[in-house]
Amino acid sequence: QVQLVESGGGLVQAGGSLRLSCAASGRAFRSYATGWFRQALGKEREFVATISGSGGGTDYADSVKGRFTISRDNTRNTVYLQMNSLKPEDTAVYYCAARYYTGSRYYAQYDYWGQGTQVTVSS
């Protein structure tokens, strides 16, 4: 009962920044933790960040810690991923996902997924 749509991807030079958005539809969005995952061409899906339903708790992969910030605005049913100091290895399709109450680093534990948005970082 949650639909997710990512946007904000694009082509950026190494060292640059992008902000991804995930617009959600559905009731009681505050009750859902949201995660960001990414998948590079030919590679497995990788955890990026999670945020609790209230926005009070966050978790980040070591590879993005200090560079990426996850946030949410529950009044607008939107989750954000601010990406700074981008590296070529950040190139991937980025997906947002949601699951009830508690976040997870494991993609298979999420019930709802967006279609993905491409992020390409040039060197």
Side-chain angles (χ1 to χ4, degrees):
Q1 71 273 17
V2 178
Q3 286 73 236
L4 306 170
V5 179
E6 303 95 333
S7 62
L11 176 64
V12 65
Q13 192 173 5
S17 298
L18 285 173
R19 189 179 77 160
L20 306 184
S21 297
C22 177
S25 62
R27 303 179 72 256
F29 183 63
R30 184 182 177 90
S31 298
Y32 292 83
T34 300
W36 285 96
F37 293 80
R38 65 189 184 186
Q39 188 165 20
L41 190 63
K43 300 183 68 177
E44 65 185 359
R45 195 170 303 178
E46 177 186 30
F47 165 75
V48 176
T50 61
I51 188 167
S52 63
S54 68
T58 58
D59 187 28
Y60 297 92
D62 289 342
S63 60
V64 307
K65 216 165 196 175
R67 299 188 297 121
F68 291 11
T69 302
I70 188 170
S71 62
R72 66 191 293 161
D73 183 350
N74 287 333
T75 67
R76 291 171 171 78
N77 278 15
T78 303
V79 179
Y80 305 96
L81 184 68
Q82 178 66 47
M83 306 186 295
N84 299 325
S85 301
L86 283 162
K87 306 173 181 180
E89 50 263 47
D90 295 317
T91 295
V93 176
Y94 283 71
Y95 299 91
C96 64
R99 68 189 302 270
Y100 206 53
Y101 282 131
T102 58
S104 174
R105 292 185 167 210
Y106 186 40
Y107 69 87
Q109 293 186 329
Y110 285 81
D111 301 303
Y112 308 101
W113 291 86
Q115 84 291 342
T117 185
Q118 176 71 48
V119 172
T120 303
V121 184
S122 62
S123 60

